[in-house]
Amino acid sequence: MLVVSEREQLPVAEARNGDAAAWNTLFKRYQMPLYSYVFELLHDEQASLDVVQESFINAARHIGTLREDRKFGSWLFGVAHQKCVQRWRKRRENEQPIDEIEEDYADPGVGPEEILIRKEQEEEFMKILEQLAPAHRSVLLLHFIEDFSLEEIAAVTGTQVGTVKSRLHYAKKSLKKQLEQK
C-alpha cells in the first residue's frame, strides 16, 4: 500500500526545496510500484519506463502545486495515470496496437507443468482484463494491486469517489461475467 504511515515520513518538503537526496528517496520509494501500475495499463515496457520518467519530471516541475505532502504518492500516480490516458488517446488516433512483453519469473521450487498452468491462467486473465474499458481496468489495478483507497483512486483518476465506486462495481461485474463464460 502506498499510503504514507506516520512512521514513514517522506522528504517531500525537502524535494520541493530542490534537495537531490530527497528526490532520490522519493524515486526509490515509488519507481517500482509506479512502473508496475503503468505497465499493467500499457503492456509496453519501453512506454511504461517513459511514462514513469515523464511522471517524475512533471512531479519535479509541479511539486509546488501539491497541497498535502502526505498525498505525494497518490498525486504521483495521478500524474502517471494522466500520461497513460494521453497515450491511449494517441494510440487510438494512430490505431497502433500495444505490443505485449512478457517476462518469466520462475520459482525454482515449481515444476514446469505448474509454471505452464500459471502462465496460461495469467495470460487468460490478462486477456480478460484487456477487454475491460481502460477506466475500469485502471480502478481495478489501483484498488486490488496497488491497494489504494477509493479516495486515493478518485484523486489519481481525477474523478469523484462515487464514479470510482461505480467503475469498480461495473469492472468487477464485467470481470465476473467474462470469467464465467470461460
Side-chain angles (χ1 to χ4, degrees), residues 2-167:
L2 290 176
V3 176
V4 178
S5 68
E6 289 182 25
R7 286 177 278 152
E8 181 188 14
Q9 290 297 322
L10 294 174
V12 177
E14 292 86 351
R16 186 179 292 111
N17 293 329
D19 182 343
W23 276 110
N24 190 41
T25 300
L26 293 173
F27 182 74
K28 284 180 180 178
R29 169 67 174 91
Y30 288 104
Q31 83 180 64
M32 286 311 297
L34 191 63
Y35 174 80
S36 296
Y37 171 67
V38 170
F39 183 79
E40 288 300 324
L41 293 177
L42 299 179
H43 295 286
D44 181 320
E45 186 176 2
Q46 189 58 51
S48 299
L49 290 169
D50 291 346
V51 167
V52 170
Q53 182 179 15
E54 292 167 13
S55 299
F56 274 99
I57 289 169
N58 278 0
R61 286 184 185 148
H62 302 287
I63 195 165
T65 64
L66 179 63
R67 293 182 187 167
E68 295 181 51
D69 290 357
R70 66 182 179 82
K71 293 187 178 182
F72 179 82
S74 58
W75 178 71
L76 181 64
F77 270 73
V79 171
H81 179 82
Q82 291 306 313
K83 296 276 179 203
C84 290
V85 169
Q86 290 169 357
R87 285 182 182 265
W88 289 329
R89 287 180 182 146
K90 193 175 195 178
R91 188 182 83 225
R92 261 190 241 134
E93 290 171 7
N94 298 334
E95 294 190 2
Q96 294 176 345
I98 295 177
D99 295 329
E100 290 188 24
I101 298 174
E102 297 181 30
E103 294 185 27
D104 293 325
Y105 296 100
D107 180 353
V110 177
E113 299 85 19
E114 279 189 56
I115 292 171
L116 183 59
I117 290 169
R118 284 184 193 172
K119 187 142 184 87
E120 287 174 355
Q121 290 172 338
E122 182 181 315
E123 287 173 2
E124 185 177 325
F125 181 76
M126 292 311 292
K127 285 179 185 174
I128 292 170
L129 196 58
E130 282 290 318
Q131 293 174 7
L132 296 177
H136 290 166
R137 187 174 350 130
S138 178
V139 296
L140 276 176
L141 291 169
L142 286 170
H143 188 67
F144 291 110
I145 304 299
E146 299 302 332
D147 203 21
F148 275 24
S149 69
L150 297 176
E151 292 78 15
E152 290 171 319
I153 296 170
V156 167
T157 60
T159 60
Q160 299 294 318
V161 172
T163 303
V164 171
K165 287 180 184 177
S166 174
R167 287 179 180 172

